[in-house]
Amino acid sequence: MTTNQPCSLKKFALAGKSVVVTGGGYGLGRAMAFGLARAGANVVVAGRTVSRLEQTVAEISAAGGQAMAHCFDATRRSQCAALVEAAVSQYGQLDAMVINHGVIAVSAPQDLPEECWNEVISTNLSGCFYCAQAVGKQMIRQNSGGSLVMISSNGSLVGFEGLSAYGASKGGVDQLCRQLAVEWGRYAIRVNTVNPGYTTNPMSGRYETTTTAELEQEIKHRTPLQRRGNPEDFVGPVVFLCSDAASFVSGHSLVVDGGYCAV
């Protein structure tokens, strides 16, 4: 096929762009950090566990990518601001942030301890806002636009037994996305969410989630693609939303759950 138009696939490239990935030391965040580096981005891998962050950075570097580690606590606004400052100090500017950190508490709502509710809301929702606020200020100063990608959940769209705090926190993330898209569109800052369904990646939290043969069968039955998502399934959507290919996409929740919410 011949065309007079430039190759549109170039819009997916991230060469020269700098991206922060929170929760980047393991699971989905680690896969996203690798994927962004493969697309050419300079990546700041941020999170709470230094050893995991350094391992991810070492592996990205060994594969020829550019990355640095930064340890921070997303529930502390000052540390979120320091994360952005470190990224800009290293790479000169910040073009995108993937806000991926999160915790989970599994409990019947009538039995959910106050401290677990507070931990989930503080980490998943307040921590998301603090990161977004810090990067939004930087992008406004840069006057060059940018992209925020918040990792939410399909638990923001449908109810799951035992996940009242988690679902409430992710519902807040979805609405925060829409609000910031409206507030910051004038600065060419795009804000979107990616909403995963059941994945093979375990989440951290007060209660360990366990799987059973019955649960796995239910997931297979309820999910049209008949499987859990794996971390690599989320790389493409995140690279897309961080890239110029998504230059007119903002305020959107991209559900990546194998069709679970379509049933």
Side-chain angles (χ1 to χ4, degrees), residues 139-186:
M139 289 178 175
I140 291 169
R141 284 195 295 267
Q142 291 173 181
N143 195 31
S144 57
S147 173
L148 275 69
V149 182
M150 303 171 174
I151 306 303
S152 182
S153 170
N154 69 351
S156 70
L157 305 171
V158 296
F160 289 92
E161 187 173 351
L163 297 184
S164 54
Y166 183 76
S169 72
K170 294 302 187 179
V173 168
D174 283 6
Q175 182 57 28
L176 178 61
C177 160
R178 291 185 285 267
Q179 185 66 35
L180 295 181
V182 171
E183 299 270 7
W184 290 346
R186 72 197 69 180

Side-chain angles (χ1 to χ4, degrees), residues 88-148:
V88 174
S89 176
Q90 179 73 14
Y91 295 124
Q93 68 175 33
L94 187 53
D95 301 289
M97 176 180 276
V98 181
I99 304 174
N100 166 70
H101 61 267
V103 296
I104 193 168
V106 181
S107 172
Q110 66 271 21
D111 299 322
L112 181 67
E114 179 180 2
E115 62 269 21
C116 291
W117 170 270
N118 290 339
E119 180 184 19
V120 171
I121 298 299
S122 177
T123 303
N124 296 1
L125 182 53
S126 297
C128 181
F129 174 71
Y130 296 152
C131 285
Q133 183 182 51
V135 76
K137 287 181 179 180
Q138 176 62 30
M139 289 178 175
I140 291 169
R141 284 195 295 267
Q142 291 173 181
N143 195 31
S144 57
S147 173
L148 275 69

Side-chain angles (χ1 to χ4, degrees), residues 25 28 42 51 63 65 78 86 95 98 116 127 163 167 181 184 199 224 226 237 244 259:
L28 302 188
N42 303 314
S51 59
S78 61
D95 301 289
V98 181
C116 291
L163 297 184
W184 290 346
T199 74
Q226 299 186 7
D244 292 340

